[in-house]
Structure formats: structure tokens, C-alpha cells
Amino acid sequence: MSKKDGKSKAEKAEKKARKEAGEAKGFLARVYVALKPTVNDPEGLTIANALGSLGFDGVEGVRSGKYFQVRLRAADAKAAAEQVDQMCSRLLANPVIETYEFELEKA
Amino acid sequence: MSKKDGKSKAEKAEKKARKEAGEAKGFLARVYVALKPTVNDPEGLTIANALGSLGFDGVEGVRSGKYFQVRLRAADAKAAAEQVDQMCSRLLANPVIETYEFELEKA
């Protein structure tokens, strides 16, 4: 493969990447990560007690968790959902003690 | 006021409280607390970088926040919403740097 061919291959790949990036749409994912029901939640307990001492005596329980807003570009909603699901299981949530759910909207 | 009157007054108050508690309905509030857009979010930046190094190159930004599930009893949905709003502004969110929103459903 001559140097010229190599160069044109690289250019094609770059053009393709730019084209894909250009066509990619913007999405906003709202990710909710909560502790599994079987896992103790000291933070939730502390908050529930604090709410009680502030006079909110109707409170029966509090579970705490994490909330992420992820802005991303993807070819379409399906690709975006797959990426977000991967992000959750690989980084945003600890699958051993947490569950996650997310909502996706066009940004 | 004789001792007997006092006793019956206390009984009435207790009966009323029990009646109200008996009639109170169960609600689940999902509370989302996020940093205001003008506030730096080092955790979000760190997560965005980590997602990038995991190969998610479509990620444009991450904002982190807190997520609470509050189980409470209240006379009706309006009263429950008012209580949750108070809980947010007095404890769950710091109004100086955070915004909050919540969804309410019957539990």
C-alpha cells in the first residue's frame, strides 16, 4: 500500500467520523441511581429523623440516591439509550448495591 | 376546669389526631436536587472525563445531583406537595446553590 493510499484511507476515515459526528443528534439523559431496598441507607435514616425533628411528622421513610444529567451526542435515540445504559452499569451505578433508571429526551 | 374536663379534652385531641392519621393517605415523592447551572460541578466534570476515558466519546457534559424517595402520609395530594416543598427548601436542597423538583404519586 503506497503512502498515497494510506493517506487517502486516513482521510476517508476522518471524513466518515466527521460525517457521523455531524449527523449525531444531541440528547439529555436524566439518570436516577438508588440503593437497592435490601441495602441499609444511613443517609436516608438520618434525613428522615431530621425531617421528623423539623416537624414533618407524616414522613414514613426516606431513601437517598444520586441524580445525573448527561448531555451526549448519538446517531439516534436507540444508540443513545444503549450508551447511557452502558454508562450506568460501568460507572454511574454500582450494580452490587444500586439500581438505576433513566429518561432520555432530545436536547 | 376540673380534672375530668382536662382528661376528656386530651382524649378528644388524641381521638382527632388518630382520626386524621387514620384518614391520611400514603404518598411517594421523588425529589431531584441539582446544582444551579452557574455553580461549578467538579464531580460532574470528573465523571464526564471518566466516561470519556471509558470510550464514551459522545458525552458532552455531566451534572451531578441528589435523588430522594420520601414516603409520607398526608390528608391529600395538595397537602403532601406543600409538605414536600417545605422539606426541600428547609433541608433536602440548599437554595443558595441548588434547585429542586419533585414528582408525587400515591403509594
Side-chain angles (χ1 to χ4, degrees):
Chain A
M1 191 172 58
S2 75
K3 227 177 163 186
K4 226 177 107 228
D5 288 348
K7 208 176 148 237
S8 74
K9 238 186 167 184
E11 269 164 17
K12 262 189 214 148
E14 203 194 309
K15 222 167 128 194
K16 189 172 166 247
R18 235 184 298 127
K19 193 165 164 263
E20 266 168 21
E23 277 164 20
K25 299 180 193 86
F27 293 92
L28 173 67
R30 293 174 200 276
V31 180
Y32 314 109
V33 178
L35 289 168
K36 286 184 179 173
T38 51
V39 177
N40 273 345
D41 180 7
E43 184 182 346
L45 277 177
T46 309
I47 291 171
N49 292 337
L51 288 173
S53 56
L54 282 174
F56 298 106
D57 33 26
V59 173
E60 293 185 321
V62 175
R63 297 287 292 178
S64 64
K66 296 176 280 189
Y67 168 50
F68 300 103
Q69 296 171 331
V70 181
R71 274 179 305 104
L72 70 153
R73 301 194 69 77
D76 52 36
K78 190 166 168 282
E82 268 158 31
Q83 276 194 51
V84 174
D85 194 69
Q86 279 290 312
M87 291 178 202
C88 290
S89 48
R90 290 178 64 190
L91 184 74
L92 301 180
N94 173 348
V96 175
I97 58 167
E98 291 170 332
T99 58
Y100 62 85
E101 48 185 332
F102 60 87
E103 292 158 5
L104 203 60
E105 61 187 56
K106 277 204 178 149
Chain B
M1 189 169 68
S2 73
K3 227 176 165 185
K4 225 179 106 224
D5 288 346
K7 209 176 147 234
S8 75
K9 239 187 165 184
E11 270 166 15
K12 261 189 212 146
E14 202 193 310
K15 220 168 131 195
K16 191 173 168 246
R18 237 183 297 129
K19 194 166 166 262
E20 266 166 23
E23 277 165 22
K25 298 181 194 84
F27 294 91
L28 173 66
R30 292 174 201 278
V31 179
Y32 314 108
V33 178
L35 289 167
K36 287 184 178 174
T38 51
V39 177
N40 273 347
D41 180 7
E43 184 182 346
L45 277 177
T46 309
I47 290 170
N49 292 336
L51 287 173
S53 54
L54 281 174
F56 297 106
D57 32 25
V59 173
E60 294 185 323
V62 175
R63 297 288 292 178
S64 65
K66 294 175 282 189
Y67 167 51
F68 299 105
Q69 296 170 328
V70 182
R71 274 180 301 106
L72 71 152
R73 301 193 70 77
D76 52 37
K78 190 166 169 282
E82 268 158 29
Q83 276 194 51
V84 174
D85 195 70
Q86 281 289 314
M87 291 177 203
C88 290
S89 50
R90 291 177 63 188
L91 184 74
L92 301 179
N94 174 349
V96 176
I97 60 167
E98 291 170 332
T99 58
Y100 63 84
E101 48 186 329
F102 61 86
E103 292 156 3
L104 203 61
E105 60 188 58
K106 277 208 180 143

